C-alpha cells in the first residue's frame, strides 16, 4: 500500500519512488509484477500524472522497473543486480570506515550527507 503524506517535507514523487523501491527491494513486489499505469496510480493516489511519471522514470533509471511500451511498467530483474551492487558497495564502505577508525554514528552521517538527506539524530 502506498501512502502519500501531504504535509511531508519530502516531495510526493520522492515518497512514491521510495515506497515502490522499498517494496521492490523487500520483494513484496516480485520481479515481473506489472505496476499500475501512471494515470491509474495518479488517480488512485490523488497525484498529478507528471508526479507519478517522474517517480516511474527515476525507478527505471535505477534499474528497478522497466517500461515495455504499451504493455506497461514491470518490476525488473535488473533490480536484483542493482540491489546486490548496493550491498557490495556497503560492504566495501564498511571495511574502509573500519580501517580508518570512524565510528558508526559518523559513518552514517557521511552516508546521509552523500544521499542528500539530513542526518538522523
Amino acid at each position: 500500500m502506498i501512502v502519500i503524506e501531504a504535509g511531508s517535507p519530502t516531495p510526493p514523487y520522492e515518497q512514491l519512488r521510495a515506497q515502490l523501491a522499498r517494496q521492490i527491494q523487500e520483494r513484496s513486489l516480485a520481479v515481473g509484477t506489472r505496476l499500475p499505469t501512471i494515470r491509474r496510480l495518479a488517480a488512485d493516489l490523488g497525484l498529478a500524472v507528471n508526479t507519478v511519471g517522474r517517480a516511474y522514470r527515476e525507478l527505471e533509471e535505477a534499474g528497478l522497473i522497466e517500461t515495455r511500451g504499451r504493455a506497461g511498467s514491470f518490476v525488473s530483474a535488473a533490480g536484483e543486480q542493482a540491489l546486490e551492487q548496493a550491498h557490495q558497495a556497503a560492504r566495501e564502505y564498511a571495511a574502509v570506515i573500519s580501517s580508518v577508525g570512524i565510528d558508526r554514528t559518523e559513518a552514517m552521517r557521511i552516508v546521509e550527507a552523500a544521499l542528500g538527506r539530513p542526518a538522523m539524530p
Side-chain angles (χ1 to χ4, degrees):
M1 173 177 219
I2 303 291
V3 177
I4 304 299
E5 296 179 26
S8 173
T10 304
Y13 81 89
E14 177 57 23
Q15 291 181 54
L16 176 58
R17 186 211 59 78
Q19 289 178 57
L20 286 172
R22 187 174 315 109
Q23 289 179 13
I24 292 167
Q25 291 165 349
E26 292 173 349
R27 294 173 180 81
S28 56
L29 282 175
V31 170
T33 300
R34 184 170 190 243
L35 299 175
T37 65
I38 291 172
R39 289 184 188 282
R40 173 57 158 218
L41 190 55
D44 289 349
L45 297 174
L47 297 173
V49 171
N50 288 342
T51 300
V52 176
R54 181 172 179 183
Y56 274 31
R57 278 190 307 279
E58 290 191 10
L59 289 166
E60 190 164 21
E61 288 170 6
L64 296 175
I65 69 171
E66 59 186 44
T67 300
R68 302 177 191 159
R70 298 188 71 118
S73 297
F74 298 82
V75 175
S76 171
E80 296 286 321
Q81 295 167 346
L83 187 57
E84 180 50 39
Q85 287 175 333
H87 281 280
Q88 180 60 34
R91 287 189 292 271
E92 292 170 5
Y93 176 69
V96 169
I97 291 302
S98 178
S99 73
V100 298
I102 295 175
D103 69 26
R104 180 185 180 95
T105 301
E106 184 60 23
M108 293 307 294
R109 284 190 186 117
I110 293 168
V111 170
E112 292 292 339
L115 291 171
R117 298 181 187 147
M120 301 299 284

